[in-house]
Amino acid sequence: MVSTVNLDVDVKVKVDWGMRIGELSEATGVSSRALRYYEQQGLLRSERLPNGYREYAPESIEVVAFIQDLFHAGLSSDVVRDILPCAGNEHPRGDCAELLARVRQVRDELVRQEHHIAERRRRLDAYLADGHEALPAR
């Protein structure tokens, strides 16, 4: 004889898939203030918990790193905001080909600046090689 037992179990499980702003700041090395700025600029998304805390998805770490790379390359918040959908799974708001052209322009400007800085460094190296390395101590 087979008997069946029905159990009514009420179990609450808290699943924490996200991280708070301090954790994201620590994971990325970017200040909480900068992360809030990214959010204000529409570059980064968070969910608001009932207690008002921001919660960020795990992939936010990679998004922040990408934003940092774009800022370090000299791109503005406006350009970064337009680029992010083209780099991710979202449907882009604009023309990605046009954005690529803008990014190429910024890259070309960086190359021009690099050549300029390299020339300045060569001049300083030549100056130092001519014996002007140190001034006599007084």
Side-chain angles (χ1 to χ4, degrees):
M1 175 179 196
V2 176
S3 56
T4 304
V5 177
N6 289 328
L7 297 175
D8 185 14
V9 179
D10 185 17
V11 177
K12 292 183 180 180
V13 177
K14 180 181 178 191
V15 179
D16 187 18
W17 293 105
M19 65 189 94
R20 294 198 178 136
I21 195 165
E23 295 167 319
L24 182 59
S25 175
E26 187 174 322
T28 60
V30 176
S31 72
S32 297
R33 184 177 182 183
L35 295 173
R36 284 190 290 275
Y37 170 78
Y38 294 172
E39 196 171 339
Q40 290 171 347
Q41 294 297 309
L43 307 176
L44 185 62
R45 290 193 189 134
S46 71
E47 295 287 327
R48 285 290 187 158
L49 300 176
N51 60 8
Y53 291 161
R54 291 174 170 92
E55 185 172 72
Y56 297 90
E59 62 270 7
S60 296
I61 294 171
E62 290 82 23
V63 172
V64 169
F66 187 57
I67 291 168
Q68 287 284 288
D69 288 344
L70 295 174
F71 279 157
H72 287 127
L75 300 175
S76 69
S77 296
D78 291 334
V79 175
V80 172
R81 185 180 314 106
D82 291 339
I83 288 173
L84 286 174
C86 292
N89 295 328
E90 298 178 31
H91 179 65
R93 285 180 295 223
D95 179 12
C96 290
E98 183 179 317
L99 290 173
L100 288 174
R102 288 170 68 189
V103 172
R104 282 188 188 98
Q105 287 175 339
V106 171
R107 183 212 44 209
D108 293 346
E109 175 60 20
L110 287 174
V111 169
R112 188 193 65 71
Q113 289 175 13
E114 288 170 353
H115 289 302
H116 179 74
I117 290 170
E119 179 56 33
R120 288 174 48 201
R121 187 187 70 239
R122 281 191 288 276
R123 288 181 189 167
L124 289 173
D125 287 344
Y127 177 77
L128 293 173
D130 286 342
H132 301 99
E133 286 198 31
L135 295 174
R138 290 184 181 197

